[in-house]
Amino acid sequence: IIASFQPKLLVGKSVMVTAGPTFEPIDPVRGITNLSSGKMGYAIARAAREAGADVTLVSGPTALDAPYGVQRINVQTAEQMHDVVMSRISAQHIFIAVAAVADWRVANVSAQKLKKNAAGDAPSLAFEQNTDILAAVAALKNAPYCVGFAAESENLLEYGEAKRKKKNIPLLVGNIGHQTFGQDQNELVLFDDKGHTALPLADKQKLARQLVREIAQRLS
Ligand code: CTP
Ligand code: CA
């Protein structure tokens, strides 16, 4: 019902959203992951669809249902997320990277479950850095309009603008990570080439609709 009142600002646009955490295996029963419920990314996918876009949601493991009318592709690892995004990116007008992608994967994944031993030795893990999906998309020759997210724990204004420049993207959305994980509310700061503006504390779905409007304005 609410959806029908949303202005159709993204009709004819294809939007890809990444959401949720990634999960990087250690062995067949264990892995490492990031804190992310997926709520903000799913809310953005829903808001983009309400605005008339054709939406693809590339999601790491979450407990959420796919929003109505959104095509969801489930992945587990950062590498899988990267491969799915890259295989479909040429059809997209807008790319919104909301996923909390693991920065490292385990290099020495064990094919069998690691077992404890009597001496109490802990296993050693080696790590390799994952490809930065957002930076890879932003570097494409015909890159879509790219929006990044940054969850910081401090110095949001400074780190947000630095991250936008480093990733070479037109819009970066910052939030204070530990204040939002798993919550239904959030507050956002938008960084673009003109400076920064705040979207004050609100329900994530309301913020998602505001963000979609901000993106549509910048596209036109
Ligand atoms: N991102 C991505 N692929 C990665 C890492 C991050 O697409 N391998 C995206 C995230 O989805 C987010 C943005 O990059 O939109 C910023 O992620 P963040 O973790 O804040 O930035 P990093 O560049 O990884 O820097 P750091 O974790 O060191 O702060
Ligand atoms: Ca990171």
Side-chain angles (χ1 to χ4, degrees), residues 34 101-103 163 167:
N34 282 352
V101 183
D103 289 318
K163 200 164 270 183
K167 305 237 180 197

Side-chain angles (χ1 to χ4, degrees), residues 18 97-99 101-103 130-134 148-152 163 166-167:
T18 66
V98 197
V101 183
D103 289 318
N130 281 320
T131 304
D132 188 321
I133 302 166
L134 174 58
F149 262 73
E152 302 293 348
K163 200 164 270 183
K166 187 185 76 178
K167 305 237 180 197

Side-chain angles (χ1 to χ4, degrees), residues 138-204:
L140 290 172
K141 197 154 164 279
N142 288 310
Y145 185 83
C146 287
V147 182
F149 262 73
E152 302 293 348
S153 63
E154 58 173 358
N155 300 338
L156 180 60
L157 295 186
E158 184 191 327
Y159 291 169
E161 182 52 22
K163 200 164 270 183
R164 190 186 77 82
K165 292 219 175 81
K166 187 185 76 178
K167 305 237 180 197
N168 199 20
I169 54 175
L171 184 61
L172 182 116
V173 183
N175 62 148
I176 297 290
H178 54 272
Q179 163 175 312
T180 174
F181 292 138
Q183 304 295 311
D184 290 323
Q185 291 199 322
N186 198 0
E187 51 186 323
L188 304 178
V189 182
L190 274 48
F191 298 88
D192 67 11
D193 61 355
K194 296 197 178 70
H196 63 265
T197 47
L199 299 185
L201 186 71
D203 185 78
K204 286 183 177 175

Side-chain angles (χ1 to χ4, degrees), residues 19 38-46 57 59-60 62 64-67 72:
K39 284 178 184 172
M40 194 67 229
Y42 277 55
I44 291 166
R46 185 178 294 111
L57 175 61
S59 177
T62 74
L64 305 173
D65 293 328
R72 178 170 64 178

